[in-house]
Structure formats: structure tokens, C-alpha cells
Amino acid sequence: MYKSCMRILKENREHDMTVENMATKSTAGKGLLIWVLAILKYFEIAKNVEPLRAKVKEMEKSQAKTEAELEKLQVELKNLAVDLEGVETAHGKATMELQNLKDQASIMNIKLQAASRLIGGLSGERQRWKEEVQNLCERRSKLVGNTLLCSSFNAYFGAFTAAFRSELLDLLRDDVNSRGLFVSEDFEIKYMLSNDSIIQGWTKDGLPQDLHSIQNGILTNAGLKFPLCIDPTMQAVTWIKNTYCQNQLYSKSMNDTDYFKHMEIAIQYGKPFLFENIGEVLDPILDPIFLKNVFCEEGTKYIYFGDKKLEWDDNFRLFLCTKLSNPKYSPEVFSRVRVINYCVTPQGLSDQLLNVVVTHERPELEDEFRSLTTIMVQNSIALTRLEDSLLKELSSSTGNILENNDLIKTLEETKVKANEITSRMDECQLTKKKITLARNAYRNVSDRGSILYFASSGLSNIHCMYEVSLESFLIQFKTSLSKSDSHHDIQARIAALVESCTNRICEYTCTGIFECHKITFVFRLACMIMEKNGTIDFSLIDFFLRGNSSLGRPEVEKPKCLKWLGDSEWKDLLHVSKLDDYFAYVKSELINNHEPFELWFNLEAPESGSFPGEKMKCVSPIQKLCFIRIFRPDRCFDGSKIFVKEVLGDAFTQPPVLDYARIYKESSPLVPLIIILSPGADPLNDVIKLGTRLGYKWNETLCCISLGQGQESVAMTAVKNGSKNGCFVILQNCHLLGSWMTELDATLSRIENPHNRFRLWLTTEPTKNFPLGILQKSLKLVIEAPGGLKLNVQRTFSRLNENIPESCQHPRFIHLIFTLSFLHAVLQERCKYGKVGWNVSYDFNDSDFDVSLKLISLYLNKISSTNDEFIPFSSIKYLIGEVIYGGRVSDNMDRRVLRTYLDEFVGDFLFDESRQFFFSKEGHDYTLPKLDGGCPINDCRQHLSNFPSLSSSAVFGLHPNAEFSFSLRRTNTLWDSLIKMQPNTSKGEKKLSREECIRKVTIDILEKVPIVNTDIGVYDITEVRSKILGKRPYLLPTQVVLLQELERWNKLCIRIVSSLTSLIKALKGETGMNQELDSTANAIFNGILPKCWLAFAPASEKKLGDWINHFLKRSEQYETWIGHASRGLHPKVIWLSGLHVPESFLTAIVQTSCRKNGWPLDRCSIFTEVTKYNTEEDLLTSLENDQDPGSLDECYIAGLFLEGAGWNRDTLELAQQHPKQQVVDLPIVQIIPVESQNLKLRNTLKTPVYITSSRRNAAGSGFVFDAFLATNQHKSIWILQGVALLLNATH
């Protein structure tokens, strides 16, 4: 069908059969045609579509299948896509992680390299930091204890000595540990409050390296208070000046008028200010500065200084220094400033002197050592700074330190430098050890120098004029090194240096001290040398100085066979036998075989003889001294010379010869020469002769000014001109212008470049007002009158011109000159025997002799002009005895002695041709010289050359026992001086500490004081008064005296108890230790009577133990007296020395007699009669047997001691003393009141009664009354022997 239709259409194609044409032909045809065409088209399409449909169906089926598969695949694909996405995500993460790991690996590699560099750079610090961490952890647990100890040190330790600081620090450490606040075992102040770098910097600036000085440096730079340095050696001044010199340090003294202005500048601009030469009192104007009374206004700090308001700079520093070695500052001063003890220590001074010695001996070694020390200090400081910088960089670093390349590089460079410095320091340490070993070869010399300085500086504790500075000591020390003997052998050279410096310093020191103190100095020096060598027993030294100071009676009674040995000596032996085995042997031998000891005891100079006992050959020198103290204490002075001779050599027991020319050579323009005068010495002529001999011209370059009122400006002008023109200036009597001498000190300090020939001589008597600055830097000379009768008379004649006989033509003139010279010498030499010689020490000097000589010349010339043969000796004796020499004499008994000498030496008997006159025959015939017609003065000098060098006391009319008393007094002076030089500590294992000793004795004394309470005392006076008054309307005179005595007794007991109670509290630390308590503690420790008790007690020279026994005996007498007084009586026998005012009792007895007999009181006196009764019991027994009941005015005195004479108990009169007998017990003396007009004396000696052996002083105290003693010999014998009665005997 399709084909037919297509054929038809194809056949009719030519007819152009189209729909459009068909439309034109037939509409139906058109429709049909369209339909045919459509059908054909459909058929064609259907024909093509059918397979396609089939194919479509097939494909649809396939599609459906495929779609099903596709859907399945899509699901799988979706799943795969999800998986792929997860894988891709994981891959991305892995890739990223890989990249990160690569980056981290790169960074870690860089950090590893940095860490390796860092570890390598800090490897040396690891161990140090590890130890430091451990230490910090340990210190953290002990921080409170360490801080407490450091705070205590900072607050309280400044004023203490090195030894006491160490002791107190140990006590505090133990106390803190006991309270559970533990302290580090290696605790050291210098490392807690400072470090090596700072300390070495201080050392570089001049601070000594010893621990004490380092502690002082810490105290000076730490704390809120300004430091006040006790600096006698000027170490602090030197260090402060070196440390702050670059900060414009102002250095002034209180004497400078412009210090106020400079201090204002320092306060406002924050500059350091140094006050030098501070005294014991600080200017109150400085109080606002000390207290830092700073206030703020508008953000600015101000302070009032004087009347000005100054701007305050916090950088302001104030330092105060004093040259006083032992100043007494008030508590107010301690509250305002920090007192720091810069007194040099022995070890510190030895180190300084070692530098001086090595500089002198091996200067190249010392230069190398100093250079090395400087390098080490610099390296140490640099190393510390680098280490600090290292820690600072590490601590201040931010972020990861391994990423800070700049920091690591800096650390590496720092470590390299630190290693270089450490290496150099190790090399320096090795070199330093070698140098130190070489330097220490001279350590013995520096140690000896240190000992010499402390021995000489300790003399200032004895006498105020003995001050010495380290600067002046170093001058002498260096001079001694230069003048020592040369040796090639090092050991021989060192021995020569030690010998030279010892001799030189001893000579220098002894030139400037009194004769009585020279043996003290060398003895102390010998002990210090033995202490350094470890060859001395301190317990024996303490015994030698103090003896047995215990209060009780001896534990063992003295055997009867030892009557020749004193009770105190026996007590000493018992005490020392417990300290040393040798003396236990001596005690045993003495008891079993006392004869050898008694023979030795009776020797004139036993210290030079052989000692008893088999073991005496192997004892030490100090044991010999203790033996002498026990048996013959009077010979201890001479025994000490032997001790010094054995330890140091014979040369040290001989005083140096005073050579003015040598002194001048050793002096310098900047060093004043001080001549310390003693009575009877006048060196002015010798000094003027020296100046003339050296070429100085009088009134041109040599001037002499006697100081006094109005001479200040003249003297100051002379000093200033003399320093410029090279003059020889002599200022006399400097003690008269003590205040002006301070100005002179300031002037001398300002003189910097004086003329080479300028010399300043100052003469002065010993005075406490002499400026310390001049004393410390001066060259001192002590001038004493020549010792011995021969030297004294020779000195007088050396002053006489050979032409003096021409001034008087009388033939007796020369003999009277000799007599006057002899008298002058006797009067002066008698002074050395103390109170037995003169009650008051008088300054009989050359002017007295010169005026007397002119007086004699005047009388003899007048006689010669009138041809009168009679010499008015009575007038001459009166003028000499009452006016010239007697004008100085203030005591009546001394005037009696002077008149007796004149009666014995001056008179017509001098020229009696029938009987030769002798001044004395004791040991030598002291006669007038024979004149041969030549020069009379030379004849006298020749006659004097025959006199013995030493004269006994008998030559002066004294008993030979006066020598015994003189020796004992010298010994006591030696002991007292040595005790003052001793440190206030107890040494030796057998000794308690000083505080324990004081506390033990204090408690013992308190137990003995019979006090009720500190308000009443011992006795209630009102109660006692009513008891003794009874029914009588008035009190008897003796009862009044009793009440007065009890009032004084109460005050004394209250004073004792209050002072001792306060002292115990102070020792416990419950109260402060003031100056009075400290003085009391020192007195108790030394076994002497505290001064604060003496004001409430009768005068006494007893040691503390004897005084306590005396105190208890007084208490017993008061009890007995109260019992008698209640019956209207007084004791028949009164122990007069037990009364506070003994003369008041005697006055009461006289008053009672006057009332009874109706005598006028002013015409009544006392007569005494010595009875035959030795004890109160014997007297009372005799009185009981007597039928006469006695009366109220009958009184007897017991307990008197006779000094200067003995007593014959058979004839009841004065007799000569037995050898070695200072005083004797006088039997009981009866007091007999009589009317003065009825008192007829015959064969009696008016004898003064004194309280103590010090007798009467210049003020008149000490005298009680005059007693009358029977004698059958001439009174002059006893007068010249110094006979007196004592209420209290020292021994």
C-alpha cells in the first residue's frame, strides 16, 4: 500500500501534486492528500520508528536493565564516592600531617641544635644550679631561723668584739634551734648578707679580710640607722674614703666651723658625708638626721636641719667615726645610730703587717701579690656579673628559649668569657697559693708585730696618756725592719726581724710610759707571746693576778706549824692546789716538811734563790711566779722581772736610756713630741740645749712659751709660723689649757707640708683633757726624777754652776749646799714609800731647792758682811720648813716629819769638830764632803761618787720593813695594772664563764646580807628607837650614834641588794646593763669592792672577800650594841673599824663624860692607854673580877693596827718591828676623856689614827683622832718611821 501510494505520488510528481496545488483543485482532495501524505509520512516514520521502538523497547528493556544496573552502580558509585571522599580527606590530612611532621622535624632539628648549644653553654652551670636548688630548698625550710639570726646580728651585734660576736651567734643559733626554728648548718653571716664579689670589692678598697672586718662592712652598709664606727686604728675611715671617693665624699670633724654648710649640700644632693674624730657626745642638731625625720610636701621629701628646711635625697649617706678605743656612749646614742666596733683584731692586724713585712723584704713578691689580688677581685666581680647576667637573660626571656637565637648566641659568648675568667682565676689561685706560701714564711714577724701593738695599745687602760695609734705604730714597725740585721738564711733573717721589731717597739713604748708601768708592759707582752706559742696556763695567770677571791673561810684550817704563813696566803695555796697538780704537791710537802719553805720565806730575795722541793727544777716560769705569790707576795714585782727575763731576755728588764738627740732623729715635722712630766722633773733646760746644739737660735727659730691665760693666740701664732719657717717650738704646761689644745689639734691636722726643721715640743702633766688626736700620733717621753738617793743628789749638783761658790764667801756655804741637796733628795725619795713616807704626795721640785739655796746664801752673805760667827739656823729651818718646802705641805703629820728632818740635818752640830756628823750610817757613812781646796762643787761630786747606788729605807729614817711595804705596794700596782689590761673573759677549761663567775659570787653575797626588804633595810629605825629609849625622856649620846649608824647600815644593805638584784637581772637579759652595773660586774669578777657600794660604806682598801667578812662582823656588832642600848648601855669594847663614822662614837663618849663631870665640851680631849689585854674576853673577865662597876663613859677600843713600829707587850710601849711585818695588832686601848688642862704627856708619842692604810688625803678625810703611845726612845725615831694606827689593815 505504501509502495503503491509512493509510486502514484512519484508518478504524479510532475503534476506538482502538492497540498497547496490540491487546495486549488479540491478541498476534499486537499484534505485527502494531507491525510494520504500524513499516512505515508506516518508509515515512513512508523516504518522507521517501529524498529526504533522495538529497539527502544529493547533499549528500554536494556535501559531498564541498564538503569537497574546503573542505579546499582550509582549506589555503588555513591558509596565509592563517599569512600573516595573519605580517602581523599584522609589523604589530605595525611599529607598535611606529613608536611607538619616535616616542618616539626625541621624545627626540632633547629631546636636540637639550639638545645645542644644551650646545654653545651650551660653545662658548667648545671652542677652549681643543682646544688643551689638543693640549698634553696633546704634554706626554704630554715628561712625563718636564718632570717631571725641575720636580723639579730644586724640589730644588736655592731658594738661587740669579734670573740663575743662569735660566742653570741652560737648561743642564738642554739636557742633558735631549740625553739623549732632551725638554722642552716653552714650558716655564715658574710654569705647570708653578702657575697664573695662584694667582699673582694671591699678588700680592694682597704677593708681587712678577717671575718670581723667583713661583718663590720656588712653592718656599715646594711640597716636603716647611720653607722658610728669605733675606729681607733682608722681602718673604717680609710675604707669609707676609698669606697666613696668617687661620689664626692665630704669629710669633716665636729671642730670644723664649716661642716654645717657642707652637710647641707650633701643632704640635698645625696652625697656621702663622713664625720671624723667624734667624741662621746653627739651634737643634738644632728638628731633629725639620725632619726630621719623626713616629711613630704607636694611629692618632694624635706627635712629640718637646724633652722632650715632642706630637700632630702634618699642617696644621702652619713658615717661617723671616733678614735676612742672604748667610748662610753649613752643609750640615747645607741638608739639614734648604729655603733659598730671597728677595733682591729689580732689576726686582721697580723695580715696587714704581713703586707708591710713582705713589701720590705720582697717587694717584687708583694707587688705580684697585690697585682694578683687586684686581678682576682676584678675577675671575681666580672664572673659574678656574667653569672648574674646569664640568669637575668634566662629569666627575662619570653616565649620558647630554644627559638631565641640571639639569646643563645649571647649566652654562648657569656659562657666563653666566663670560662676564660674561670680559667684565669684557677691559674691565679695556684699562683696565689705559691705566693701565699712564700709570704707566710714571714708570718712570725707579723704575728709578733700584732702582739706588740695590742700590748702597747692596752696600756691606755692603765693611764689616759698612753694612747697610741696604728699609724704611729706602723712608723716604728717599719723602722725596726730597716734597722734589723741582714742574713742570707731566711730563718736567721726572720729571727732578726722578730728581735728587731720587739726591741724597737718595746724601747719606743717604754720611753713614753712611767717607770712603774714598764714591767707591766713587758710582763703582758711576755704572756701574750706565750699565749701565741701555746705555752701558758691561763688559770695560773688568773690566780697570779687575782689570787683567791672566794668569800668563805678556807676549807682546811692552817696547821699550827705554819704560823709564819699568813691566813690569806694559806687560802691562796688551797685554791691553786685545785688548779695545778704541782701546787697540790707543794701543799703536801709544806704540811709534812715546812722547814725548807720557812727558810726560803725568810730570805731577803727569795725569788733569786733556789726554791724548796724536788719538783721545783722542772716547773714553768708562771708556776714559779704563783709560788712567789703564795709565800712572798712582796717579791712578785721582782719575780716578774725574772719571769720576763726568762721569756724575753735580760734586755727587757732594763729601762731605755733617754737620749734627746736620738728622739729628735726619730721625730718628724708632723709628729709632735709630748713630754709627760712627773713631780720633781724639769726637762726644759735639756730640750733647749738640744735645740741650741742643733743650730736653732733663741728667740728666732727657737721659742719657748709657758701656757696660761692669755697665751693662746701667742702659742698658735708660734706654731703656725714655726711650721712655715722651720722653728723649734716648745709649749709648756699644756695641761693648763685643755680646751685650747683641741684647737691646736685641729690646726696640726690642717698642716700638710711643714718645714723639715719644724719641731713641736709639748710638756704636760698627766691629764684626761689632753686631745686624743695629738696623743695618738705623737712621740711621747716620760720624764721622771732620778730614782735613788745618789742619783738624786748627783742630779742636783749637775745643775749647779761651778762658779756658785763665788756667790757666797762663807766657809760653810758649800757644806750647807750639800746638806740642802741631801735634804732635798731625802724629801723626794721618801715619796716612793707611799703613805708611810708622806700622807700626801708633794711636788718638791728644783724651784724649792733654788729658793732655799738663795735664802741660805742671803743669810750667810749677811753674816759674812757683819763678821758674825753665829748662823741663824732656827730662822733658816723655819723658812725652809714652814714657808719654802713647808708651804707645799698641807698635812700636820707631814709637817712634823719635815720639821724633824730639819732638826736632824740642820744645826750647829753639822760643824762640830769633836764629833763627826753623819746623815746616816745605814749601809754607808753618809757624811759631809771634805774640801781639798780645789773646786768645791767638783769635790762634792767626787764625794757623791762614793755613795752606794741603792739606799735602804733606813737612810731616810724609815724602818727596813718600809722596803717590804714598798715592794708589796709595787706588786699591788702591778697586779691592778695587769688586771686592767686583761680582757674581761675567762680562759681555760677549768674556769667558769665570766658571767657564771659573777652570778655565783653575786648570789653568795645576797645570801649573806641580812636585809628585811628594800624599803626598810635591816632595821626598822622607829622600832629600834622605841626599844632603846625605854622610859627615858631622851636618848643618850651613844644611842644617837647607834641610830645614825643603823640608818647608814640600812642604806648600805639596800644599795648592795638593789645593785646585785639588778645585776642578776641584767646578766639574764631581763634588764639593760648600764655603766654602773657593768662596773659592779667587773669589780666582782676581779674580786674588788664595787665603787657604788663605797659611797654608802666606810673607806676600805680590802678585797671583796675580806670586805664581806668585815661586813658580817659589823652586822654582829650592831646586833650586840642594840642589846646593850636597850639596857641604857653601850658595849664595853667597841670595834671602832666597824663603824661608819668612828669619830662620832668617840665624840659621844666625850659628851657623856662632860655631862657626868660638868666639863666644858670644848676643853675636853681624849687620852688613850694601851692595856695588856689582847682580846675582849680577857678584858671582860678582868672587869668582872674588878669591884668597880665602871660607868657609861668608860670605853675600850679593839681592832687597832700599828703601822711603822712594833709593840712590846711586856713593857707596853713602842718597839722596833720584826722583819717582814707591815702592821701589828695592838692590844685593847682604853679611851679616857680628860680635861685638856689636866693632860700632862711624858714619854708618849702623839700618834694619828686613820681609817685605812691610805691614811689622810689632801682633802683631810681618813683621819679619826690622835692616840698616845708610850715610848722610851726619842720621838724623832717614830716620827720618821711614819708610825700610825689604823682601823683597817689591808693585809
Side-chain angles (χ1 to χ4, degrees), residues 928-940:
L928 292 171
K930 295 181 179 179
L931 306 180
D932 297 332
C935 177
I937 297 299
N938 289 335
D939 292 340
C940 292

Side-chain angles (χ1 to χ4, degrees), residues 753-772:
N753 297 308
H755 195 282
N756 288 335
R757 283 177 60 81
F758 170 61
R759 293 296 185 275
L760 177 61
W761 296 76
L762 308 172
T763 69
T764 178
E765 293 180 2
T767 174
K768 294 182 179 180
N769 297 325
F770 209 89
L772 184 63

Side-chain angles (χ1 to χ4, degrees), residues 64-279:
K65 185 179 181 179
T66 302
E67 285 179 353
E69 292 177 357
L70 176 61
E71 184 178 357
K72 184 178 180 179
L73 289 175
Q74 285 178 343
V75 171
E76 291 179 0
L77 182 60
K78 187 177 181 180
N79 292 335
L80 289 175
V82 171
D83 292 340
L84 179 60
E85 185 178 358
V87 170
E88 288 178 351
T89 302
H91 178 267
K93 290 181 179 179
T95 303
M96 187 179 296
E97 184 177 357
L98 176 62
Q99 187 62 40
N100 289 337
L101 289 175
K102 287 182 180 180
D103 294 341
Q104 289 179 10
S106 177
I107 293 172
M108 290 301 296
N109 186 40
I110 295 173
K111 289 183 177 180
L112 284 173
Q113 294 178 359
S116 176
R117 292 164 61 192
L118 192 61
I119 291 172
L122 300 178
S123 59
E125 303 295 326
R126 178 180 180 180
Q127 185 63 29
R128 186 173 70 85
W129 286 347
K130 183 178 180 181
E131 294 175 356
E132 187 66 23
V133 169
Q134 292 177 352
N135 291 336
L136 289 174
C137 292
E138 180 183 353
R139 290 179 183 176
R140 183 180 181 181
S141 63
K142 300 178 179 179
L143 180 62
V144 176
N146 291 345
T147 305
L148 181 60
L149 221 58
C150 290
S151 301
S152 301
F153 172 84
N154 202 20
Y156 303 113
F157 281 44
F160 300 146
T161 61
F164 191 68
R165 284 182 188 176
S166 177
E167 180 183 351
L168 188 57
L169 204 59
D170 292 339
L171 290 175
L172 285 175
R173 181 188 287 111
D174 295 340
D175 182 70
V176 171
N177 286 329
S178 68
R179 298 174 185 271
L181 302 173
F182 298 105
V183 180
S184 301
E185 294 180 0
D186 59 345
F187 178 88
E188 284 192 51
I189 287 294
K190 69 176 183 179
Y191 294 124
M192 291 295 297
L193 300 178
S194 185
N195 56 54
D196 287 332
S197 175
I198 295 175
I199 292 171
Q200 290 183 1
W202 292 345
T203 303
K204 180 174 67 70
D205 290 330
L207 188 70
Q209 300 180 19
D210 60 288
L211 179 61
H212 182 68
S213 299
I214 292 172
Q215 291 178 351
N216 289 337
I218 293 171
L219 291 168
T220 303
N221 287 290
L224 300 176
K225 295 180 181 179
F226 293 122
L228 193 163
C229 306
I230 302 174
D231 186 32
T233 57
M234 297 190 70
Q235 291 184 343
V237 170
T238 303
W239 174 58
I240 291 170
K241 287 182 177 180
N242 292 338
T243 303
Y244 293 94
C245 60
Q246 297 180 352
N247 297 339
Q248 299 180 15
L249 173 71
Y250 291 93
S251 179
K252 295 291 178 180
S253 72
M254 291 281 188
N255 296 324
D256 293 332
T257 57
D258 60 343
Y259 87 83
F260 200 90
K261 176 180 64 178
H262 289 91
M263 194 169 187
E264 289 179 356
I265 298 174
I267 292 172
Q268 295 179 89
Y269 295 97
K271 303 300 180 182
F273 193 95
L274 170 63
F275 266 126
E276 298 187 60
N277 301 330
I278 293 295

Side-chain angles (χ1 to χ4, degrees), residues 473-643:
F473 173 83
L474 287 175
I475 294 174
Q476 301 301 321
F477 185 75
K478 293 176 182 178
T479 304
S480 68
L481 300 180
S482 303
K483 294 188 176 182
S484 58
D485 297 334
S486 301
H487 291 278
H488 296 292
D489 180 65
I490 182 66
Q491 296 302 325
R493 175 60 179 163
I494 291 172
L497 290 171
V498 171
E499 180 182 2
S500 177
C501 72
T502 305
N503 293 337
R504 174 76 180 186
I505 300 300
C506 284
E507 181 181 3
Y508 167 75
T509 304
C510 290
T511 302
I513 61 179
F514 289 100
E515 189 68 31
C516 60
H517 295 144
K518 291 175 182 177
I519 187 64
T520 304
F521 166 68
V522 292
F523 183 91
R524 174 65 177 153
L525 175 62
C527 290
M528 293 177 71
I529 292 174
M530 293 178 69
E531 177 185 359
K532 183 66 178 179
N533 298 333
T535 58
I536 196 167
D537 187 344
F538 285 103
S539 61
L540 293 182
I541 282 289
D542 187 68
F543 168 76
F544 174 70
L545 298 181
R546 296 181 174 89
N548 183 5
S549 57
S550 62
L551 303 181
R553 297 184 61 82
E555 300 175 358
V556 180
E557 291 296 327
K558 184 177 66 174
K560 294 182 179 180
C561 61
L562 301 180
K563 291 182 178 180
W564 50 273
L565 186 66
D567 293 337
S568 60
E569 284 75 18
W570 171 252
K571 190 177 178 181
D572 284 346
L573 177 58
L574 293 178
H575 175 69
V576 76
S577 63
K578 299 176 183 178
L579 303 177
D580 191 90
D581 294 337
Y582 166 71
F583 289 101
Y585 158 79
V586 169
K587 185 183 74 172
S588 176
E589 284 291 305
L590 178 65
I591 295 173
N592 298 328
N593 184 20
H594 67 89
E595 287 84 2
F597 293 89
E598 187 174 0
L599 289 174
W600 183 88
F601 173 83
N602 290 322
L603 293 175
E604 187 67 26
E607 72 281 353
S608 302
S610 58
F611 289 73
E614 296 179 359
K615 292 186 178 181
M616 202 63 201
K617 297 179 181 178
C618 56
V619 298
S620 65
I622 189 60
Q623 286 175 322
K624 290 182 181 179
L625 267 183
C626 292
F627 187 93
I628 296 172
R629 177 189 174 105
I630 294 170
F631 293 98
R632 285 292 299 275
D634 62 299
R635 304 304 300 175
C636 283
F637 187 88
D638 298 278
S640 298
K641 288 186 176 181
I642 297 176
F643 172 82

Side-chain angles (χ1 to χ4, degrees), residues 1208-1248:
N1208 190 325
R1209 296 181 183 272
D1210 296 328
T1211 60
L1212 299 180
E1213 60 186 10
L1214 290 170
Q1216 291 296 333
Q1217 287 177 312
H1218 295 296
K1220 303 178 185 65
Q1221 202 174 39
Q1222 284 184 278
V1223 295
V1224 296
D1225 297 337
L1226 197 67
I1228 292 177
V1229 177
Q1230 183 178 6
I1231 300 296
I1232 306 173
V1234 296
E1235 284 190 284
S1236 302
Q1237 61 187 10
N1238 297 328
L1239 183 61
K1240 307 297 182 183
L1241 301 178
R1242 185 178 181 183
N1243 294 332
T1244 58
L1245 175 69
K1246 185 178 181 181
T1247 308

